[in-house]
Amino acid sequence: MGEFNVHRVRFFDYMPSAIRALAFQPQRERIAVARTDGTVEIFNRADCFFQEKVIPGRQQAATEALAWVGDRLFSAGLNGEIIEYDLDNNKTKYTIDAYGGPIWSITSNKQGTHLAVGCEDGTVKLFEVHEDRIQFERNLAKQKGRIISLSWHPSGSKIVAGMMDVIHIFDTETGKLRALAFPSYDLLGTSRSQECVVWSVVYLSDGTIISGDSAGKVKMWDSRTGTLIKSHQVTKWDVLTLSVSQDETSLAVGTSEGHVVQFQFLSMVLGQEDKEWVRTRTFKNHTHDVRAVLEVNTAIVSGGMDTQFVVRPLLDKIDERGQASALRNIQFPHRRLVSCARKAGLLLFQYPGHLELWRLGESEGNGERKRENTTLSIKRKRWIAYSTVASFRLYRLHCENNNVSIIKVSKLPKVLSSANQICFSSDSSHLFVASTCSSVHVAILNQSGCKFVCTLKPKSGSGQAINLLAASEDGKWLASANSDHEVQIYNLNKMKPHCTVPVHSSGVSAMAIHPTTNNLFMVHADQQLTEYSVEKKQYTDWSRQVQRHGLHSLWLERDTPVTNVTFNPKNPAHIVLHDMYMFCIIDQTLPLPDQRSQFYNQLTLRSMPEKERKKHSHAFKMCKIFKELLFVELMEDQSLVVVERPLMDITAQLPAPVRQKKFAT
Amino acid sequence: MAALYESYTLCALADTGPEGTRAIEPDRDRDRVVITESGRAVTVYKVSDQKPLGSWTVKQGQCITSPAVYNPPTKEYVVVTDEKVVRVWKDEDISIEKAFKATVSAEVYRLHSVPDREPLVLFRHGAVRFLDSLLAAPQQTIEEVLSEEEVIRWSAAVQMEQQLVLLFSTEQRGQHCLYVQRFSPNALVKHRLETDSTNSTPLSYAATYRDGNIHLLYLCNGSVYESVLQARPTVPAVSGTVQALPRSLLLKLPVGEGELTAASALPVDESHIAVVGVPHPLAGAGKDYLCLWNTHFQTLQAARELAGKIYGQLWCFSGKLFVPHGKILSVIPFECQKSSLAAAMGKLKQTSGTNESSGPTLVPTWNALLHSNQTQTQENSRGVGSEKEVQKQVEEFLHGSQPEELQLTAGRLASALVMRCQADPTFYPQAAFTQLVQTNYLCHSGCPDLLVLTLEKNDFRLCQLCLQLFQDIPEAVTCCCLKTILSFQDSELEQVDLEDGLLFMKALTQTAEVSDDGDSGQHNGFCPPVLEEEICDAPPDSEAPGTRPAREPLALDMSCPVGLHKGALLNEVLQVPYSDSLLLPHLKDLNVPQVLLFLQYLRFLYLKYSQDAHSRIPALRKPTVTQIMDWVCLLLDAHFTVLALTPEAKSLLTSLHKFVRSQVKLYSELGKIEGSLEALKKSKQSREIGQYSIEVIELF
């Protein structure tokens, strides 16, 4: 296949934010993740935990908790505001102030009619959920001290609140403290000298209340009598979070030493009805505080200070070995944070608050590099365009010798206010901006500036946001993919929708239009590869062959999605893909690997004489010699750019964990 | 050896605050002293009678500013009151008031009596006069040698053979100087005294004349320094330049935590100094001690605790120390013998008259110990007493003695017993010897004949004990033991109880049987070398591999060539410390059968050890592999030519050779493995990747 010059780049200091809260929407199997930088991410459990949406937020929001009400997602934070998200367009829908000081918790009742928030001022505030807004209903009896945690009873008539040293039960009908309130929490077991924070409470339908506290204990209480049933010392440090499964038979506990402990509601004697909560398993997948856990049917999902999103399958609930039974550890976003000007050799890194533009070294050996600190998001050739939550910006880039300068384009069409995706045509004459409701705005770029042309709208009328855009090399076609898994192709000559690619069950994680054949190559979250001929409006032969033949199991078992697709300008049969752990060149002229054949065969081929190689080689040229990859692209001059971000470097930037490492533990 | 004798009180002291004027001066004979006290009284005492002979006081309002001295030529006493009035009186005068007095024109610092000469008068500003010349013209002008701020701290007159020298030290703004006034011709030389830092003021001075030089001693910061002044200055003093006086540290006193405030050091002879006001090195921080130190050997010779306040004053006249403390003045006779190392270490031969001088000593001395309690035991061991009685006495003695005494006496006692055994062949107190050896205080050099005696008496149990516990057995004796043990018949040794050593041997031979039965014992990677040898040396034969173990000569040889008891004793010999070059000539004394037997035994041990057998045997003492190998090498070195010519030795030597060769091979292979593992480790280390690099990869 040949040799490649590789620009091995390690100066993208990408640093993910810690996970603060998790919430599960059981009907649609979506998991919402709140990070400390204010971002909310939506993962689709049914689609290999693919990161479908990313809703940017502000760090000042200091999101503390998330709550689903049906399909609607709410968050509350220490800035005292409740946010509802517009999940179609990946943005904040509205924000209302709860007027209770910082909010520590938000939770909805099972009926989906009310939201309760726990505030710093000691009030539990009930909000009624309306069609398009939420409406403050009343305060429950005000307490002294902040409300740290809340949980509704499944009946919706009672709510339990965890505070400092105390647990209270409120009647939601009357708003009063229940007669059988709890005795002071610390009377039972915890030391009086230290304040005990009830970090998390769970109210079960049988009236049991489970609490997790800063003394490292998980306690089961009887809410009718207010007595302690059982206390489990889970950790020396804090128990930060609790999550009970839908059927209330399993409880996941997150601790600040990075362990997740599972309790199960089991009968102590076989065949008898009497059941007890029994500590069953301990998972040690985190190095830092576990700030949030979820019991998601067959798996325990956890996240915390170490920024990892860990899916730990419960093997007793999974019958067959496969995707679902593997431990999944999501560290990088399922989208590109790097864009690249293939001809100019420029790299653009997207940080949460700024952009960095780098030029690749030209000389062999010691690559020279320049560093420009600009603030931006996507570009091609002589333009840089970026969009924040609030605004859209376009810059003209001048790059002569070693001088790089940018000039802001001042007059932009009003319609370009905010974008989910931005894409330039290959000759830089057009700009495509993905906007709300799957629409794409088209603008012409020339010396004088930027001129709006028209808006492309899909036939289907889907309201989902576009998460990928791809323009063809000849400037004739534009493809867009949204989070409903729809892929729409537009004819740019006519400025009309051309066709819709048949909907696949899994979302598109990367796609690109082939420069010579105009085939749209798509990689899905479930690792399937499809190639669709735009002109013929059908899947190509190669694509059908892949479907018939099936992909190698080792390819399907990879647990990170492909996030970039590029083509080799010198050899049209070559397609370059990468995920977090590997990059791969698919040679469409070679046979697909057999299920029995060796999939990772590069070492074997290397050791073979030239003539025999042909016999053993297959279409997938896998390369795993690099550390964790954020981006791989084949440049115009055939050289590869590899942006690595070793996890070690991320770990090194995390604060020290509370757990002290001891010998042999 | 120096000693302090019983002290007695000369007189009670008046409780006055400033002790500045308290002084003791020698009187006309050795037994009389003049004591000036409390600024007003002068008393003459007969020391041996502790009786005052005469006492004079000055009138109320007057104050003695310079202590009274005796003027030998005129047989008069002289004192200075109120700094300027010189009073002279005789023994028979009843009152000073009626005696001769003269007022001088300058303030007098001190009077100094000089044997057979007129006293010297030192004025406050450094001028010096003889008393007679001063009294001839009392109002003569006195020149000012010292500046206004320079204050005299101490002065002394030193009489040399021909010459008189007056020394005085001064202080000026923290700087200390020493002036040396010589007479006829008059010359004043100034020296600077070195002090460690500005605030270290010398606490006391003392000057003595010895061997043609003046030795100035001063105590400063807990250290006693000595400066030597030549009686006749070789270089005439150059005016204007003040030379620093070279000094040497004579003695570093144990100061403890506190700072010395009132202390004094006084040389009592050329190698001893008496120190008062400094803590005893063993007695904590209390400073109320009078100590006699030997400066040659830096040893504390004698010490005496003193009751009451210490004033830091000390005088010494005719073999007696005068120390004021509390409210009394004590006289402490002392004796300093000519110092020698033996005396310093407390090992001086006791002379007949020493009993009277057995002063209270804090350090137990060799002789004191040897001549006290155990003499009787020793007597018994020398002549009379049966074995049982001796044993009983030894037991009692061991129970009743302090460890440090035992250290000294155990050897003597054992030597005495050995001597008696040698004289009387029927006498052999085995139990007593065993007890003495087991004290751990006995060593070979302390009782050189004991080990040989045990060999003579065939007492191998005691011999084993000695080999175990003595660390200083000469190589000749070790060899002698070895020879005796090797030449003894196994059957004769069987009755000896060798305890632990025997258990080790039993375990060793038992494992031999086990490993003979199967190859299970060989699990440490030890490959019987013969296998390899055969593969290498012999042509590849058609023999089935199963038959090979039967052909292993080493496996056949795994029986112990000596009896268990002999083996246990030999093990003890192997563990005795030795040095190669000294052992080698003595090893040549062994005859060929002995050498062969010993070599066979060593080979047996080595093979056993190679099979990891020894590590599984719990034993307190067992020879190490290195010890075994060293002995093999030594034995071969000593007897190589003989062995080469002895036909019986041939098989033994070849088997040793093969074994060693296989071992060498094994270790070289291990070395190779180590090297390759190291290389593996190195290759695993990922190379450092910078932030950016351009590389080339190849895909196939």
Side-chain angles (χ1 to χ4, degrees):
Chain A
M1 170 155 267
E3 285 187 350
F4 293 92
N5 273 340
V6 180
H7 296 267
R8 196 170 186 175
V9 171
R10 283 194 170 185
F11 43 81
F12 183 18
D13 297 326
Y14 166 71
M15 187 67 203
S17 291
I19 292 174
R20 185 64 197 84
L22 293 170
F24 182 51
Q25 212 284 354
Q27 287 82 36
R28 311 194 65 168
E29 302 207 65
R30 297 296 198 275
I31 297 166
V33 177
R35 294 190 183 261
T36 47
D37 64 355
T39 312
V40 172
E41 295 161 4
I42 308 290
F43 289 84
N44 187 346
R45 199 202 74 86
D47 190 10
C48 304
F49 289 91
F50 181 58
Q51 188 185 41
E52 282 184 338
K53 297 166 203 270
V54 176
I55 306 165
R58 288 178 306 134
Q59 184 150 22
Q60 298 89 306
T63 311
E64 276 289 314
L66 289 170
W68 287 95
V69 179
D71 289 346
R72 297 163 69 182
L73 180 66
F74 295 86
S75 79
L78 294 182
N79 63 349
E81 288 173 345
I82 301 170
I83 300 170
E84 182 175 359
Y85 295 95
D86 177 355
L87 295 179
D88 286 347
N89 295 307
N90 297 357
K91 60 185 188 186
T92 302
K93 198 171 182 181
Y94 60 86
T95 298
I96 65 165
D97 199 319
Y99 299 107
I103 300 171
W104 290 92
S105 57
I106 182 166
T107 173
S108 64
N109 61 357
K110 213 166 190 174
Q111 294 71 29
T113 57
H114 285 85
L115 274 174
V117 294
C119 300
E120 176 79 10
D121 68 354
T123 55
V124 176
K125 293 174 193 290
L126 288 190
F127 286 83
E128 202 177 345
V129 182
H130 294 293
E131 192 70 14
D132 53 347
R133 294 204 75 80
I134 54 170
Q135 177 77 46
F136 174 72
E137 194 174 274
R138 68 161 165 276
N139 278 334
L140 303 186
K142 188 172 173 175
Q143 301 299 312
K144 218 173 154 185
R146 61 180 69 115
I147 309 284
I148 303 286
S149 48
L150 285 174
S151 177
W152 288 84
H153 187 266
S155 71
S157 61
K158 283 171 283 183
I159 194 165
V160 62
M163 301 178 62
M164 315 292 269
D165 296 334
V166 190
I167 296 174
H168 286 303
I169 304 174
F170 300 93
D171 195 317
T172 51
E173 306 295 323
T174 60
K176 283 186 182 144
L177 207 60
R178 296 270 298 193
L180 275 175
F182 276 70
S184 179
Y185 189 80
D186 68 344
L187 281 182
L188 297 159
T190 54
S191 98
R192 206 165 257 285
S193 59
Q194 246 178 335
E195 219 169 32
C196 183
V197 185
V198 182
W199 284 120
S200 187
V201 285
V202 169
Y203 208 160
L204 302 182
S205 47
D206 65 358
T208 306
I209 291 171
I210 304 173
S211 69
D213 58 47
S214 62
K217 291 191 173 103
V218 171
K219 294 180 177 179
M220 282 69 179
W221 309 82
D222 187 332
S223 66
R224 282 171 291 269
T225 55
T227 49
L228 182 71
I229 302 167
K230 187 105 189 188
S231 172
H232 297 269
Q233 183 80 46
V234 171
T235 169
K236 272 205 296 192
W237 314 99
D238 291 25
V239 170
L240 292 174
T241 174
L242 301 172
S243 170
V244 74
S245 63
Q246 300 290 316
D247 56 4
E248 297 189 353
T249 58
S250 172
L251 174 82
V253 176
T255 71
S256 63
E257 59 186 333
H259 296 174
V260 172
V261 180
Q262 193 197 8
F263 285 83
Q264 280 177 292
F265 198 52
L266 300 172
S267 53
M268 297 308 285
V269 185
L270 200 69
Q272 282 197 2
E273 277 303 295
D274 283 352
K275 287 192 175 180
E276 249 182 76
W277 284 100
V278 184
R279 182 177 168 164
T280 49
R281 267 170 281 199
T282 303
F283 306 114
K284 301 178 180 176
N285 297 107
H286 292 275
T287 56
H288 290 64
D289 292 17
V290 176
R291 300 299 296 267
V293 286
L294 277 184
E295 267 268 11
V296 182
N297 305 339
T298 59
I300 289 177
V301 177
S302 55
M305 293 300 288
D306 61 1
T307 76
Q308 301 175 35
F309 179 87
V310 175
V311 181
R312 178 82 197 207
L314 295 170
L315 294 178
D316 53 343
K317 295 184 179 168
I318 296 167
D319 295 332
E320 56 188 289
R321 188 171 166 274
Q323 274 283 8
S325 66
L327 173 75
R328 196 179 282 268
N329 198 338
I330 300 171
Q331 274 135 334
F332 288 171
H334 293 165
R335 64 202 168 105
R336 286 192 310 173
L337 295 176
V338 181
S339 5
C340 165
R342 293 172 64 182
K343 279 181 189 133
L346 295 171
L347 288 178
L348 188 72
F349 297 153
Q350 183 183 344
Y351 288 92
H354 67 280
L355 301 176
E356 274 181 10
L357 183 65
W358 295 74
R359 189 163 70 193
L360 292 172
E362 282 137 16
S363 60
E364 300 237 343
N366 278 345
E368 168 199 343
R369 62 171 202 257
K370 281 193 74 77
R371 179 174 180 139
E372 267 80 47
N373 257 320
T374 53
T375 48
L376 310 206
S377 159
I378 295 222
K379 65 135 278 315
R380 206 148 272 193
K381 273 186 189 165
R382 282 165 287 146
W383 301 86
I384 292 178
Y386 79 87
S387 170
T388 65
V389 174
S391 63
F392 181 88
R393 296 270 186 281
L394 181 66
Y395 293 84
R396 191 190 293 275
L397 177 73
H398 290 281
C399 192
E400 283 165 18
N401 299 327
N402 283 336
N403 302 319
V404 177
S405 60
I406 54 168
I407 302 160
K408 188 178 170 187
V409 178
S410 53
K411 280 186 192 160
L412 289 177
K414 284 211 177 76
V415 71
L416 304 178
S417 60
S418 175
N420 292 319
Q421 284 287 315
I422 307 171
C423 173
F424 289 92
S425 66
S426 65
D427 60 356
S428 302
S429 62
H430 284 78
L431 169 69
F432 309 108
V433 177
S435 182
T436 53
C437 299
S438 292
S439 61
V440 181
H441 303 302
V442 182
I444 288 182
L445 299 171
N446 52 34
Q447 283 307 109
S448 57
C450 175
K451 204 178 132 209
F452 175 70
V453 179
C454 68
T455 300
L456 301 171
K457 283 194 175 150
K459 283 183 194 157
S460 65
S462 164
Q464 290 289 316
I466 288 171
N467 58 4
L468 285 170
L469 279 179
S472 68
E473 186 81 9
D474 57 9
K476 206 174 164 191
W477 309 106
L478 177 73
S480 75
N482 68 12
S483 38
D484 268 350
H485 311 171
E486 289 175 0
V487 179
Q488 192 79 37
I489 298 168
Y490 299 98
N491 186 329
L492 292 176
N493 291 348
K494 299 179 185 164
M495 290 293 172
K496 271 186 178 166
H498 176 66
C499 64
T500 308
V501 179
V503 174
H504 185 68
S505 61
S506 178
V508 180
S509 65
M511 66 177 187
I513 298 174
H514 198 282
T516 51
T517 62
N518 274 345
N519 291 337
L520 176 66
F521 194 93
M522 290 166 287
V523 188
H524 298 270
D526 62 358
Q527 312 297 355
Q528 290 297 332
L529 308 169
T530 49
E531 195 183 30
Y532 188 80
S533 170
V534 173
E535 280 148 11
K536 293 180 188 161
K537 300 191 188 178
Q538 62 181 28
Y539 284 117
T540 62
D541 290 344
W542 186 83
S543 184
R544 289 172 202 278
Q545 192 194 336
V546 168
Q547 294 308 317
R548 261 201 317 276
H549 188 272
L551 288 159
H552 197 277
S553 60
L554 286 176
W555 174 267
L556 294 174
E557 275 169 21
R558 293 175 308 113
D559 64 349
T560 52
V562 169
T563 50
N564 194 27
V565 176
T566 48
F567 304 96
N568 187 345
K570 300 271 160 59
N571 188 340
H574 286 178
I575 302 155
V576 183
L577 311 171
H578 84 91
D579 68 7
M580 182 173 157
Y581 298 107
M582 62 94 208
F583 85 87
C584 149
I585 297 180
I586 294 175
D587 188 339
Q588 288 179 309
T589 60
L590 286 175
L592 291 165
D594 213 275
Q595 206 55 250
R596 285 182 305 277
S597 62
Q598 190 188 17
F599 188 61
Y600 296 102
N601 62 351
Q602 285 298 308
L603 274 178
T604 319
L605 292 178
R606 181 189 296 271
S607 62
M608 279 180 183
E610 184 102 32
K611 284 174 189 167
E612 277 184 48
R613 276 181 199 156
K614 202 142 202 180
K615 216 164 69 191
H616 288 88
S617 55
H618 56 69
F620 289 79
K621 314 287 179 190
M622 307 288 286
C623 178
K624 296 184 91 167
I625 61 171
F626 299 107
K627 291 273 179 188
E628 290 77 10
L629 294 167
L630 279 169
F631 183 72
V632 174
E633 176 118 354
L634 196 59
M635 307 297 273
E636 206 81 331
D637 62 351
Q638 285 283 91
S639 65
L640 271 170
V641 173
V642 171
V643 179
E644 289 177 292
R645 181 62 176 162
L647 290 180
M648 287 293 285
D649 296 357
I650 292 177
T651 313
Q653 286 186 34
L654 293 173
V658 292
R659 182 159 59 107
Q660 270 137 30
K661 198 150 174 65
K662 289 193 192 96
F663 179 70
T665 58
Chain B
M1 190 66 207
L4 295 170
Y5 299 141
E6 201 56 48
S7 69
Y8 50 88
T9 306
L10 183 61
C11 63
L13 297 173
D15 190 17
T16 54
E19 63 273 9
T21 54
R22 181 187 297 144
I24 305 170
E25 290 285 330
D27 202 354
R28 65 193 66 175
D29 65 51
R30 293 169 56 93
D31 204 19
R32 285 170 63 154
V33 289
V34 184
I35 298 177
T36 309
E37 219 212 325
S38 71
R40 286 187 59 213
V42 178
T43 318
V44 174
Y45 280 96
K46 187 160 175 63
V47 177
S48 54
D49 293 350
Q50 306 166 46
K51 231 165 54 181
L53 297 176
S55 179
W56 298 269
T57 46
V58 295
K59 256 206 321 208
Q60 193 83 36
Q62 293 176 350
C63 180
I64 297 175
T65 53
S66 172
V69 296
Y70 182 67
N71 185 356
T74 58
K75 298 192 170 82
E76 288 166 333
Y77 298 99
V78 187
V79 80
V80 178
T81 58
D82 298 331
E83 295 189 319
K84 282 187 179 175
V85 184
V86 181
R87 292 166 188 271
V88 182
W89 76 96
K90 282 188 191 281
D91 238 351
E92 48 273 22
D93 291 335
I94 294 157
S95 167
I96 297 180
E97 289 306 311
K98 289 173 186 159
F100 170 84
K101 83 176 174 189
T103 303
V104 294
S105 59
E107 291 163 348
V108 176
Y109 174 73
R110 195 78 193 246
L111 296 169
H112 287 284
S113 76
V114 185
D116 307 324
R117 302 236 347 220
E118 279 287 316
L120 282 167
V121 183
L122 174 63
F123 288 91
R124 183 134 297 189
H125 290 295
V128 183
R129 296 284 186 278
F130 281 101
L131 184 64
D132 51 354
S133 68
L134 178 68
L135 292 181
Q139 285 301 313
Q140 63 181 271
T141 51
I142 306 297
E143 72 277 10
E144 291 198 354
V145 178
L146 305 176
S147 65
E148 198 61 44
E149 290 166 359
E150 207 165 354
V151 185
I152 298 177
R153 290 285 176 224
W154 164 85
S155 62
V158 181
Q159 173 74 54
M160 296 184 283
E161 286 116 16
Q162 304 293 319
Q163 230 191 340
L164 182 67
V165 172
L166 182 75
L167 304 166
F168 59 94
S169 73
T170 64
E171 184 184 352
Q172 183 182 17
R173 292 197 209 101
Q175 198 179 16
H176 298 268
C177 291
L178 181 77
Y179 289 84
V180 183
Q181 173 78 55
R182 291 186 171 80
F183 303 94
S184 57
N186 283 11
L188 184 66
V189 182
K190 184 179 176 185
H191 299 279
R192 193 158 46 78
L193 286 180
E194 282 180 59
T195 44
D196 307 317
S197 55
T198 47
N199 58 352
S200 60
T201 307
L203 285 173
S204 85
Y205 296 88
T208 46
Y209 170 73
R210 199 164 70 227
D211 309 330
N213 292 321
I214 298 165
H215 294 256
L216 176 75
L217 208 73
Y218 57 98
L219 175 65
C220 186
N221 265 358
S223 301
V224 180
Y225 296 99
E226 186 184 46
S227 295
V228 179
L229 288 161
Q230 289 190 318
R232 287 167 216 287
T234 46
V235 183
V238 184
S239 60
T241 59
V242 178
Q243 302 258 312
L245 199 59
R247 69 174 186 183
S248 56
L249 180 65
L250 207 57
L251 182 67
K252 188 102 184 143
L253 291 169
V255 179
E257 295 100 62
E259 206 177 314
L260 294 181
T261 47
S264 184
L266 192 68
V268 294
D269 74 0
E270 59 191 26
S271 58
H272 289 87
I273 59 170
V275 179
V276 75
V278 173
H280 187 279
L282 302 176
K287 297 198 178 82
D288 37 4
Y289 277 93
L290 171 69
C291 297
L292 267 183
W293 287 86
N294 185 314
T295 53
H296 281 182
F297 303 111
Q298 309 274 315
T299 51
L300 177 64
Q301 295 289 304
R304 172 74 46 86
E305 190 170 2
L306 302 171
K309 189 187 175 192
I310 297 289
Y311 300 98
Q313 284 180 313
L314 184 63
W315 292 271
C316 174
F317 301 113
S318 54
K320 297 179 188 68
L321 289 166
F322 292 75
V323 194
H325 62 96
K327 291 189 176 178
I328 54 171
L329 175 68
S330 282
V331 179
I332 305 167
F334 69 95
E335 187 186 43
C336 291
Q337 286 171 350
K338 182 114 176 120
S339 65
S340 65
L341 181 61
M345 301 306 288
K347 279 192 182 175
L348 192 65
K349 269 241 164 66
Q350 215 67 25
T351 51
S352 54
T354 47
N355 276 346
E356 62 182 38
S357 73
S358 56
T361 47
L362 284 161
V363 185
T365 72
W366 190 260
N367 288 332
L369 285 169
L370 291 188
H371 284 269
S372 53
N373 48 355
Q374 91 293 11
T375 35
Q376 214 225 327
T377 323
Q378 219 167 340
E379 283 310 310
N380 275 344
S381 59
R382 275 209 189 107
V384 288
S386 70
E387 288 176 18
K388 273 199 173 153
E389 281 170 42
V390 168
Q391 198 220 321
K392 206 175 165 192
Q393 278 172 346
V394 166
E395 203 167 320
E396 281 168 11
F397 165 66
L398 291 179
H399 274 294
S401 302
Q402 295 297 314
E404 66 263 30
E405 288 176 21
L406 270 179
Q407 190 102 40
L408 301 171
T409 51
R412 281 210 163 201
L413 196 54
S415 300
L417 286 171
V418 170
M419 271 164 65
R420 190 176 157 195
C421 290
Q422 283 165 340
D424 177 6
T426 57
F427 178 78
Y428 185 64
Q430 205 249 4
F433 278 134
T434 309
Q435 275 180 328
L436 279 169
V437 171
Q438 279 172 338
T439 57
N440 262 342
Y441 290 120
L442 216 54
C443 57
H444 186 269
S445 43
C447 169
D449 298 325
L450 180 59
L451 191 50
V452 184
L453 181 75
T454 61
L455 292 178
E456 283 169 15
K457 299 281 180 189
N458 295 337
D459 182 1
F460 287 106
R461 169 77 191 128
L462 189 56
C463 176
Q464 185 200 21
L465 267 182
C466 293
L467 288 170
Q468 282 175 0
L469 297 173
F470 290 180
Q471 294 301 310
D472 54 349
I473 301 173
E475 283 76 358
V477 180
T478 310
C479 245
C480 186
C481 287
L482 183 62
K483 208 171 166 180
T484 315
I485 292 164
L486 283 172
S487 54
F488 238 80
Q489 290 300 314
D490 280 326
S491 53
E492 289 176 63
L493 285 170
E494 264 163 29
Q495 303 309 315
V496 188
D497 174 26
L498 296 173
E499 292 180 356
D500 185 51
L502 202 59
L503 289 177
F504 173 69
M505 281 308 290
K506 272 183 185 154
L508 200 65
T509 45
Q510 268 165 13
T511 57
E513 280 150 25
V514 170
S515 59
D516 279 351
D517 293 344
D519 289 334
S520 58
Q522 307 178 353
H523 56 67
N524 69 330
F526 167 71
C527 163
V530 183
L531 268 176
E532 204 181 340
E533 289 299 311
E534 284 181 353
I535 291 161
C536 302
D537 298 343
D541 49 7
S542 54
E543 239 176 325
T547 60
R548 270 205 188 120
R551 286 187 57 200
E552 284 176 31
L554 289 179
L556 294 175
D557 257 356
M558 286 303 266
S559 59
C560 184
V562 295
L564 296 183
H565 291 75
K566 195 186 270 189
L569 286 171
L570 287 175
N571 288 349
E572 300 298 347
V573 174
L574 292 181
Q575 293 167 75
V576 167
Y578 65 90
S579 57
D580 303 7
S581 51
L582 294 176
L583 187 63
L584 205 56
H586 297 292
L587 272 182
K588 290 188 196 288
D589 294 347
L590 297 176
N591 60 30
V592 174
Q594 285 168 345
V595 170
L596 277 179
L597 183 64
F598 195 31
L599 263 184
Q600 274 165 356
Y601 177 65
L602 287 171
R603 185 185 61 159
F604 161 76
L605 274 185
Y606 188 61
L607 291 178
K608 280 283 160 205
Y609 271 49
S610 306
Q611 289 191 329
D612 200 25
H614 69 295
S615 62
R616 279 175 286 147
I617 302 168
L620 290 176
R621 284 170 58 84
K622 50 192 175 187
T624 64
V625 186
T626 332
Q627 279 169 340
I628 296 166
M629 277 323 279
D630 287 349
W631 272 93
V632 171
C633 295
L634 275 173
L635 215 56
L636 289 175
D637 279 350
H639 291 278
F640 187 72
T641 41
V642 182
L643 287 173
L645 295 171
T646 313
E648 303 92 77
K650 204 183 168 202
S651 67
L652 180 67
L653 287 180
T654 41
S655 87
L656 273 174
H657 173 63
K658 276 183 180 174
F659 193 79
V660 168
R661 211 167 67 180
S662 75
Q663 290 292 86
V664 168
K665 222 168 196 170
L666 172 68
Y667 281 103
S668 80
E669 293 301 320
L670 283 175
K672 282 182 206 163
I673 292 173
E674 191 189 14
S676 55
L677 286 175
E678 196 67 29
L680 202 65
K681 199 172 150 194
K682 267 182 199 157
S683 71
K684 272 281 171 192
Q685 281 170 352
S686 62
R687 68 209 158 84
E688 192 61 35
I689 299 162
Q691 289 227 300
Y692 179 57
S693 57
I694 298 179
E695 295 170 11
V696 176
I697 61 162
E698 194 182 4
L699 291 178
F700 300 97

